[in-house]
Amino acid sequence: MLNIILGAIALGSLWAVMTMGVYITFRLLDIADLSVEGTLVTGAAVGAVCITGGMNPWVGTLLALLVGLICGAVTGLLHTKLKIPALLAGILTMIALYSVNLRIMGRANIALLNTPSVFTPLEKLPFMPWLAEQGIMTKNVAILICGVLICLVVSAVLYWFFGTELGSAIRATGNNPQMVRAQGVNTDTMILLGLMLSNGLVAMSGALIAQNQSYSDVQMGTGAIVIGLASVIIGEVLFGTKSFKRTLLSLSLGAITYRVIIALVLKAGMPANDLKLFTAITVAICLALPQIKAWWNKLKGGRK
Amino acid sequence: MLQLNDVYKTFNIGTINEKHALCGLNLHLNPGDFTTVIGGNGAGKSTMLNAISGVWPIDSGSIIINGTDVTALPEYKRAGYLGRVFQDPMLGTAAQMEIQENLALALRRGKKRTLRWGISNEEREKYHELLKTLDLGLEDRLTTKVGLLSGGQRQALTLLMATLTKPDLLLLDEHTAALDPKTAAKVLEISDRIIAEEKLTALMVTHNMRDAIAHGNRLIMLKDGRIILDIAGEEKKHLTVEDLLAKFASVAGEDLDNDRMLLG
């Protein structure tokens, strides 16, 4: 049981990077960006191809991030320059990436067995043999340490970036684009930058997840946006959004909580095939909460 | 300071909703002119301000601000010249951002956004002092989200933001129309003070004839996308609502029939 929870937390810390990406588009830019479903796989594919090709796994992960930035730029340009609605622009990129991902991998999946990952060096930490004696899976501990460190670094970078003049302008664009233009900022550029950053993080997350599960698969992105949204909402509701620092932390904790919940319901006997239905229903309920609250208050008698 | 030369703008060309919004609009503002703009619904008041701001391109004519031809510039590139306050208090500020963050965005109006930290300590002190002058108790709420403020407070803040970096031209688009009378008077008073202190050139659209007469040194009236009345100097100082109605009738050949303008 401990190992299951530990594994879930470790996996959650890797998905947390994607959650932060989803947060940038969903909350800061006020766009539901579906390209995420494609870029997650693109990141995994790039990472897998690089690592099986003998590259350093960190280099592969960073290359995934770079490719993700480009994918985000595609959605951004479709939306801002060609005036395609954001939702549709995301769907177009997502569909296009399906083919691109197959091209990158050359087949539907790549196994990462007996290849180094960003986690392997950590498995050689001095206390690992002791943990193994206690019956704890050292691989999970290594992933957890690495995941938490990555989350902290990414959170710190995002905290800095969204505090800068440029980052503030991006945040304001999601709030009130008309006001931002009146302040002399090109809102198209801000949306483009936000989408790039978001998809970069998602792709990086994809590369990390592929290394964790030891394979990259063209289907692994299905439902990623919903998982991202679930994590964002769980994080916001359970851990608060009082300040931006707090929100960033909540996102990681939300992603981890989501994974723990999933691990627990699977352990409790829910068939794995029902997972996506379960997640979708959870997200639908969370998104509907304000409306449900309004109905509830109306039923209770007029308090609006 | 501002020149509008023979500006034309038609919306929905070739459809049943075709609307000639601006029809040969000419206007020349001198530096320091505080001009009030009145006119009935659909006369082109807001359209004129939107044309100046570059919300959409005009069909023909030219727009020159402080010697620079801005006719071909997009909205965000013109922002460096313009301070703007909108009719809807929601439009001038970012609701989910703090008061100080909004001010910091406005302080950098027209400047390139860099990777420097978005707000400095000296700025904070400056904002504190400036907010004090509004006398709305906002100076101690720098980190409050703007969405929690009342319409009047948001409008006063937007006004401060629009003038934080001195604009070549301040555009006030019925910026008190959505406020209750008391708050509207307060915001107008603040507008007057800032315009006088900073010696700003300003265009203020209003639905209220009395406000149009009481404020500024020049008054123009629009009808069908043109200026039909332009009153300045001594004549403007001694203008009354009755004068204005009589003038309108003689220029337009019809009586003013807009209740909202008469009652205001």
Side-chain angles (χ1 to χ4, degrees):
Chain A
M1 189 66 186
L2 180 67
N3 276 325
I4 291 176
I5 300 284
L6 205 62
I9 296 176
L11 184 58
S13 69
L14 303 181
W15 281 89
V17 178
M18 185 205 69
T19 304
M20 289 187 241
V22 169
Y23 173 80
I24 292 172
T25 47
F26 182 61
R27 285 291 190 231
L28 297 184
L29 287 180
D30 204 12
I31 288 175
D33 175 28
L34 293 188
S35 32
V36 162
E37 307 236 328
T39 31
L40 188 88
V41 185
T42 309
V46 170
V49 168
C50 288
I51 291 169
T52 49
M55 261 191 223
N56 178 302
W58 279 109
V59 176
T61 307
L62 289 178
L63 275 176
L65 181 122
L66 281 180
V67 175
L69 292 175
I70 298 169
C71 299
V74 172
T75 308
L77 291 172
L78 286 173
H79 176 47
T80 58
K81 295 293 167 218
L82 303 181
K83 305 292 172 208
I84 296 170
L87 199 63
L88 196 51
I91 291 174
L92 290 175
T93 309
M94 171 183 91
I95 293 297
L97 282 177
Y98 188 87
S99 298
V100 174
N101 294 336
L102 282 171
R103 286 256 174 201
I104 293 173
M105 295 197 285
R107 54 184 184 273
N109 52 58
I110 295 181
L112 291 172
L113 297 167
N114 306 317
T115 48
S117 74
V118 294
F119 317 116
T120 24
L122 291 166
E123 285 180 50
K124 298 189 180 70
L125 284 172
F127 56 85
M128 286 300 184
W130 179 79
L131 282 177
E133 277 169 32
Q134 315 300 314
I136 292 171
M137 277 175 71
T138 52
K139 187 177 176 244
N140 284 343
V141 178
I143 294 166
L144 180 62
I145 295 172
C146 192
V148 168
L149 285 177
I150 291 173
C151 281
L152 288 176
V153 170
V154 173
S155 299
V157 170
L158 289 183
Y159 181 74
W160 163 76
F161 179 71
F162 284 107
T164 64
E165 294 173 351
L166 190 64
S168 301
I170 294 177
R171 278 191 293 146
T173 300
N175 247 245
N176 185 347
Q178 180 168 1
M179 171 262 193
V180 175
R181 278 192 295 273
Q183 304 304 339
V185 177
N186 187 347
T187 43
D188 283 356
T189 311
M190 296 304 117
I191 293 172
L192 182 66
L193 285 176
L195 282 168
M196 286 174 69
L197 186 57
S198 165
N199 282 288
L201 289 176
V202 172
M204 181 178 155
S205 179
L208 291 170
I209 293 164
Q211 292 170 59
N212 169 56
Q213 65 191 17
S214 298
Y215 68 89
S216 149
D217 185 284
V218 75
Q219 300 287 357
M220 67 186 269
T222 312
I225 182 73
V226 181
I227 294 171
L229 292 179
S231 306
V232 169
I233 296 166
I234 291 172
E236 286 178 342
V237 170
L238 291 187
F239 305 100
T241 55
K242 217 168 174 193
S243 65
F244 191 52
K245 240 182 259 181
R246 176 79 169 267
T247 307
L248 283 171
L249 224 67
S250 298
L251 294 175
S252 297
L253 293 174
I256 290 171
T257 311
Y258 172 79
R259 281 295 149 191
V260 172
I261 294 174
I262 296 298
L264 290 178
V265 293
L266 286 179
K267 176 91 177 130
M270 192 177 82
N273 286 344
D274 293 344
L275 255 190
K276 291 206 166 33
L277 177 66
F278 173 77
T279 309
I281 292 173
T282 315
V283 172
I285 291 173
C286 288
L287 288 176
L289 268 183
Q291 189 58 43
I292 294 170
K293 237 183 217 164
W295 285 336
W296 177 248
N297 287 336
K298 216 173 177 183
L299 275 178
K300 278 206 313 193
R303 200 160 56 90
K304 277 183 190 165
Chain B
M1 193 52 83
L2 170 75
Q3 269 177 276
L4 300 179
N5 301 317
D6 218 19
V7 173
Y8 281 85
K9 176 71 189 180
T10 305
F11 291 109
N12 306 316
I13 295 175
T15 72
I16 196 162
N17 293 319
E18 187 168 291
K19 162 93 182 140
H20 299 281
L22 298 175
C23 308
L25 185 67
N26 283 290
L27 179 66
H28 185 110
L29 291 186
N30 294 315
D33 265 354
F34 177 6
T35 306
T36 55
V37 184
I38 55 172
N41 288 326
K45 307 183 297 292
S46 291
T47 313
M48 175 172 80
L49 294 204
N50 285 338
I52 298 169
S53 324
V55 176
W56 22 251
I58 55 173
D59 297 339
S60 65
S62 66
I63 299 168
I64 292 158
I65 303 173
N66 204 5
T68 312
D69 189 335
V70 300
T71 317
L73 294 184
E75 186 178 8
Y76 72 92
K77 282 195 181 157
R78 294 189 203 185
Y81 305 97
L82 303 171
R84 290 161 71 190
V85 185
F86 310 96
Q87 177 174 359
D88 182 349
M90 303 301 143
L91 286 184
T93 45
Q96 284 159 46
M97 295 175 77
E98 298 168 357
I99 292 180
Q100 57 177 8
E101 289 178 322
N102 272 274
L103 284 162
L105 280 168
L107 185 69
R108 292 158 179 76
R109 180 165 49 76
K111 297 199 187 85
K112 208 168 160 35
R113 310 287 154 153
T114 66
L115 289 178
R116 268 196 295 272
W117 196 245
I119 184 164
S120 70
N121 281 329
E122 303 94 85
E123 271 174 51
R124 276 197 194 93
E125 274 163 40
K126 183 178 169 184
Y127 299 154
H128 184 87
E129 294 308 310
L130 281 170
L131 287 168
K132 221 183 237 171
T133 64
L134 293 182
D135 195 23
L136 291 170
L138 295 180
E139 62 270 21
D140 299 317
R141 300 173 65 190
L142 278 177
T143 55
T144 302
K145 298 257 157 67
V146 169
L148 298 173
L149 305 185
S150 69
Q153 287 173 324
R154 283 181 80 160
Q155 227 38 351
L157 179 64
T158 310
L159 199 57
L160 203 60
M161 287 165 59
T163 53
L164 200 53
T165 302
K166 190 179 172 182
D168 291 312
L169 179 64
L170 177 64
L171 301 176
L172 307 172
D173 189 359
E174 295 196 50
H175 67 309
T176 59
L179 308 176
D180 66 81
K182 204 175 146 213
T183 319
K186 170 96 190 166
V187 170
L188 265 178
E189 180 198 317
I190 297 170
S191 318
D192 261 348
R193 180 177 57 73
I194 293 179
I195 291 169
E197 276 174 8
E198 304 280 326
K199 301 189 177 59
L200 296 174
T201 313
L203 264 180
M204 178 171 92
V205 172
T206 172
H207 245 103
N208 186 315
M209 276 201 185
R210 279 179 224 286
D211 287 344
I213 290 168
H215 299 268
N217 63 342
R218 186 173 168 190
L219 181 150
I220 58 176
M221 183 185 270
L222 293 185
K223 186 172 186 293
D224 302 329
R226 282 191 197 89
I227 293 172
I228 56 163
L229 263 182
D230 189 342
I231 304 166
E234 283 301 306
E235 198 187 356
K236 161 79 170 61
K237 264 184 206 158
H238 303 113
L239 198 66
T240 63
V241 173
E242 287 71 29
D243 292 343
L244 204 51
L245 291 176
K247 273 184 188 297
F248 179 84
S250 73
V251 178
E254 58 184 280
D255 283 332
L256 204 55
D257 56 0
N258 188 321
D259 287 347
R260 219 178 122 203
M261 279 176 70
L262 289 173
L263 293 172

